[in-house]
Amino acid sequence: MSFHIAINGRPCSAEPRPGQCLRTYLRERGWFGVKKGCDAGDCGACTVHVDGEPVHSCLYPAVRAEGRAVTTVEGLASPDGELHPVQRKFLDAQGFQCGFCTAGFLMTSAALEAERGTAHDDGKLDDLPRAFKGNLCRCTGYRAIEDAVRGVTHTERPAAGQAVGRSPGAPAGPQVVTGTARYTFDVDIPGLLHMKLVRSPHPHARIVAVDTGTALQVPGVHAVFTHEDAPARRYSSARHEHPTEDPDDTRVLDDTVRHVGQRVAAVVADSEQAAEEGCRRVEVTYEQLPYVTDPEEAMLPGAPALHADKGPESRIARPDRNVVGEAHGEIGDVERGFAEADLVVEETFRTQRVQHASLETHGCVAYFEPKAADDEASQRLTVRSSTQTPFLTRRALCALFDLPEDEVRVIAGRVGGGFGGKQEMLTEDIVTLAALRLRRPVKLEYTRAEQFYGATTRHPFKVTIRMGARADGTLTAFSFRVVSNTGAYGNHGPAVMFHSVGESMAMYRAPHKKVEAYSVYTNCVPAGAFRGYGLGQVTFAVESMLDELARRLGLDPLTVRERNIIGPGEHMLTPLGEEEDLHMASYGLDQCLSVIRNATADTEADEPPKGWLVGQGTGLAMIATGPPGGHYADARVRLLADGTYEVAVGTAEFGNGTTTVHQQITAGALHTTEDKVTVRQSDTDVVRHDTGAFGSAGTVVAGKAVLLAATALAEQLRTFAARHTGVARHLCRQGAEAFDCAGRTVPLKELFEAAQAAGAEGELVADGHWGGSPRSVAFNAQWFKVAVDPGTGEIRILRSVHAADAGKVMNPMQCRGQVEGGVAQALGATLFEEVRVDDRGEVTTAAFRRYRLPQYADVPRTEVHFMNTTDAIGPLGAKSMSESPFNPVAPALTNALRDATGIRFTELPVTRDRVWVALRSLPPRH
């Protein structure tokens, strides 16, 4: 066969494999800007142009490109490097966060731009919901993408020393829009082997035997690993600074499977195709065991005990009753508090499983490299992973395989979305096992389906809440019974349960509070860390009940909130006690409520169609700015030979914007501009330790370490400049490129050279460390005005307003994006997202086309308001704002539905069909 294709203007004659799609063909030729997000043409991340027409290359057979011109995102810019107008627009508007989907949006937009004014122009650029129906974004909430297409500029170029509080663009922005940013699998490693996993078809079974003989006969298969090859040591896939927070209930490969989709064996081969064929030929003999999928049933006597074989060393609360963790506590006497109330309401609320749906799936590559450049013979293992926690993953791998830490390096490239899902070790352990045994590079990349049944979900919660109040709305008591379904393994289970009943209970005053909470094993896909970490589930119940209480008392729901919210400086008490290091170091909740009051008074929202029901609703949330028990970060800032600075920090970048903030903090402390600061990150070789990018810690923990390092370096430089010039220290003033020492200009390059000559280079490097304690709290308020079609159940959001107390906002453009993305993700969880399982616990929604993610047309523009507060703990007055915007969205939306329809929706998601059915049950209106 003679095959010829032009890729970005370059001829290529390599023949595709039979059945190969264009996406893999292009990536194998090094065009890594073409991304894999869904395997099925559902997300658009792989969009390229074939003869100018945009196509999803994962569905386009490579052989069809014969004789055609293919353009990827790398080919959009001109040959001399000038950006395509669309690339420039996305850069100026920062129309991305993690950037994994950006190439797809760029290619779609560029094709539509090329059609504008031609005979092929069908007006899609004026109808973006239609234009982008084939492109998904999980991070931005789509507003930034719309602004990019419309040519709106948001990025700024602050003056020297003034970056903090302004909106410079992300340092990796040029690489994101040109497709040269390197994500986990955007590397070419010689001799790479591919891993695929055999997974359990049963919800609960004992593995009697595994026959690998036929699989090993498949050409290209190098090895098959089973539980007999795996370490006996148990661990948790959850990653926390203190491993004892999580139960040790997991093995790399186990001889007992506890959910459909659990990995049973790993096949390693020269190609993915050979590995998949090997998996099909592995023969496993199972002894099926009883299973349970409902957490209430799982706690009953006689229920199948999933981890009964584990002792107290595993830190499981009651393995015989499937209770991995539990909490019980009471302040005052709730029964007396209810007796004092004029009204007591009680209801049970349920929240569903939600997938993180980060467009880059889980996976990693493990390979060997020299320990030092001059020592080729001495090799160490390097793991390149899509992880939020490179340092904790290295620690876990070393413990699991008895390796010293200097024998293992873990790197996270740019991570394509996380949302808590990558605060897990789901692939690195099995890949490391294979790499150590074979002494070859090994890669494992999850498919989109595996993300649904082989990764983790948000914890489903059942929350029964009872709340009492006096006639004026003053709360007298409230109590919770919380049951969290942690699935087959307890990763994050106890921690999510404890956190869920923390700030959600502490935000409102009541003299009597009580909680019973359980985290329960079932034979379902495991749950894990997810944006909000349990608070969103319980906040849905609390805010819904407070709204219901107000309505039944005939009071304004905002007034009832104002009467009961915690005030500045008050102790944050829950029945589980007070966290000693948690302080109200700033307070903006009153300002948040003021923003909502103003929104309710504004009647200019879009008018609904005639006959639709209209309502409005509010939700509040409070969150600690960082996890309890310590969250550590180290940073190092140094002056380089060219007079610029380098920041080394361990935290990962996955659209959270921490890289930009760290650059801004450094530029401010060193009186320079952000373009003179480069950031090295996400690499265990960079600094001593970093707990990880979770718990909204990128700014308030790692950012504080960076601030301490940069401030210390500024002092060192000033001292050295004074010594170098003989000028009094207080007369030396630092500028962007030089010191002014009593009128003498001393370039930073000169200082570097002088330090080198004096052997004092150590004076031009400074370290910073922060331990994550004490912590402050952040507040959020969400308000919706909605319309509901009584004939179809359709919900239309007329207006969305969000008030965020983020302290000193380090980068308004990025922080606004975090809020908008959080609101959009929460709307998906509120209105349609649901990981469904059948009665065996098997996931039945293992594809984007069966799992409804928010698309461009689904997400309203949210008005974001930042409160005027300055935190006494956070760096330069900042507070966290990555997780918290998610939490008040669901109750605000369902409270608006209650206002519009009179129906209290207690189960998520509130899908259109559920609304329609509920409306049918109402008595006819007259």
Side-chain angles (χ1 to χ4, degrees), residues 826-849:
L827 279 173
T830 304
L831 293 174
F832 31 73
E833 291 186 49
E834 182 174 15
V835 177
R836 296 180 181 177
V837 299
D838 62 17
D839 57 3
R840 301 172 64 249
E842 182 173 2
V843 174
T844 61
T845 52
F848 280 160
R849 63 188 54 191

Side-chain angles (χ1 to χ4, degrees), residues 256-272:
T256 298
V257 292
R258 297 175 176 87
H259 70 95
V260 175
Q262 180 172 330
R263 60 194 189 194
V264 171
V267 178
V268 182
D270 290 326
S271 67
E272 290 189 3

Side-chain angles (χ1 to χ4, degrees), residues 713-730:
L713 179 59
E715 293 300 309
Q716 290 179 15
L717 288 172
R718 193 176 188 188
T719 300
F720 189 79
R723 186 188 312 160
H724 176 65
T725 60
V727 173
R729 189 176 181 278
H730 72 277

Side-chain angles (χ1 to χ4, degrees), residues 146-304:
E146 178 182 354
D147 284 356
V149 174
R150 303 297 184 216
V152 180
T153 296
H154 293 297
T155 57
E156 300 176 300
R157 289 295 305 273
Q162 298 179 8
V164 171
R166 305 299 293 274
S167 297
Q175 291 75 44
V176 169
V177 301
T178 56
T180 55
R182 291 293 173 251
Y183 295 81
T184 307
F185 299 112
D186 297 341
V187 290
D188 185 12
I189 300 174
L192 183 66
L193 301 178
H194 299 265
M195 176 182 287
K196 289 292 181 180
L197 300 173
V198 178
R199 295 186 178 274
S200 170
H202 304 296
H204 199 191
R206 188 172 294 109
I207 297 174
V208 177
V210 184
D211 185 348
T212 63
T214 307
L216 289 168
Q217 293 174 9
V218 174
V221 170
H222 289 255
V224 180
F225 298 99
T226 71
H227 65 271
E228 295 181 350
D229 304 295
R233 182 175 289 131
R234 294 190 180 102
Y235 61 98
S236 171
S237 68
R239 302 270 55 81
H240 282 114
E241 179 62 39
H242 305 290
T244 53
E245 288 185 30
D246 310 299
D248 288 338
D249 57 8
T250 303
R251 284 185 62 196
V252 176
L253 291 167
D254 207 329
D255 57 358
T256 298
V257 292
R258 297 175 176 87
H259 70 95
V260 175
Q262 180 172 330
R263 60 194 189 194
V264 171
V267 178
V268 182
D270 290 326
S271 67
E272 290 189 3
Q273 294 82 358
E276 288 171 349
E277 181 60 27
C279 287
R280 285 189 283 269
R281 298 194 186 189
V282 172
E283 298 178 9
V284 184
T285 303
Y286 297 96
E287 175 193 348
Q288 294 191 49
L289 302 173
Y291 59 88
V292 60
T293 59
D294 181 270
E296 295 281 12
E297 293 178 9
M299 289 189 287
L300 296 175

